[in-house]
Amino acid sequence: MNLRGAQAARFFAKPDPGTVGALIYGGDAMRVALKRQELIANLAGPGADDEMRLTRMSGAEAKSDPAAVLDALKAVGFFPGPRVVFVDGVTEAQGGPILQALSDWSDGDAALVVTAGALKKTSKLRKAFEAHPKAVAVGLYDEPMGREEVEAAIAAEGLSLTPEARRGVEALSQQLDPGDFRQTLTKLSLYAGGSEVDADAVALMAPATVDADTDQVIAAAAEGQAGAIGPLMQRLSGQGVAAVTLVIFATRHFQQLHTAAVAGGVGGLRPPVYGPRRDAMERQVRAWGARKLEGALALLMETDLTLRSSARAPDMAVMERAFIRLAMMARS
């Protein structure tokens, strides 16, 4: 099945326990990551990670060991409860093991959750999940959150809002990307401490400079300005920005640069880029080149895996080190 809009939002919030698989795809990695987290939490329930009922692997790992996905689906866990196999960042070229696992799924197997970037209508992955009677495909696009999504996010934080505060929150949902919006609601919840939230509190918690600071630190890394990274990271840390958010945004930026480098310039990017940012990206594409950008993306993928692992290193320190390494690469 192909789900959209309110139908997709209801599926993420309350998935059918009999779901065989779900493909979540889109060009905005943050939107895909948030929906994937929500779906896995609602499919597997609390404690899935600790009880080893959640198996993770990347698209590259699935391709290198074609039997790994199907073996993970059919593995019997030590703890009772629903199981999920999550395969992250699958490309069309890595889709073979996913298609085989979906075809060979049988009763009692784990649910299969797959994420991917933007996929064309002709994608074999899309067609397989859309055609399967017990699987779904959900495409996420760069558009404001719907009313049901906003209401679900407010309810998840247990917020009580005055009518004026609710209007302010709804306005923020149209201005911020989903990750920043949810972080803002979390800060509101902590600030309110169970009390009703008014419009002044919404205005106080709204991120005034987060987007600008995030863009600045990514630009500093891309242009080799290592000395600027430390102060910017301190500011972002003080604003409550998560390291995972930074690595997702940085990956998206360097993916755009790589696409432009391969295509011969930013003119081929969709959606197109205009203004000062276009000039900066053109400059960065010339300075890096496709091969170095591939190295940058590999570094960011390694950093993303480290942040999502059980490593004890402070997340923001890991991210700052990655940005500095990128800045060094830009200079070389």
Side-chain angles (χ1 to χ4, degrees), residues 135-281:
V136 302
V138 182
L140 302 178
Y141 303 98
D142 191 7
E143 56 189 19
M145 298 175 68
R147 180 174 292 276
E148 287 194 24
E149 289 180 286
V150 174
E151 292 297 331
I154 292 172
E157 295 295 341
L159 287 169
S160 174
L161 305 168
T162 66
E164 294 79 9
R166 182 171 293 275
R167 284 194 290 271
V169 166
E170 289 173 352
L172 283 176
S173 73
Q174 305 303 297
Q175 299 165 9
L176 303 176
D177 68 62
D180 285 342
F181 178 69
R182 289 175 185 272
Q183 285 184 351
T184 301
L185 293 189
T186 300
K187 289 195 293 181
L188 267 175
S189 178
L190 294 172
Y191 177 84
S195 302
E196 189 175 50
V197 176
D198 58 20
D200 290 340
V202 175
L204 180 65
M205 294 293 109
T209 60
V210 168
D211 285 349
D213 289 344
T214 301
D215 289 343
Q216 285 180 31
V217 75
I218 294 171
E223 298 190 4
Q225 300 169 2
I229 291 171
L232 285 168
M233 290 295 290
Q234 288 182 351
R235 194 184 309 168
L236 287 164
S237 180
Q239 293 169 343
V241 179
V244 171
T245 300
L246 292 174
V247 77
I248 289 172
F249 275 66
T251 301
R252 183 170 62 183
H253 179 77
F254 277 87
Q255 283 174 339
Q256 286 183 316
L257 293 182
H258 183 261
T259 299
V262 172
V266 300
L269 290 178
R270 293 291 180 271
V273 180
Y274 300 105
R277 185 166 178 263
R278 179 189 179 100
D279 297 336
M281 290 185 69

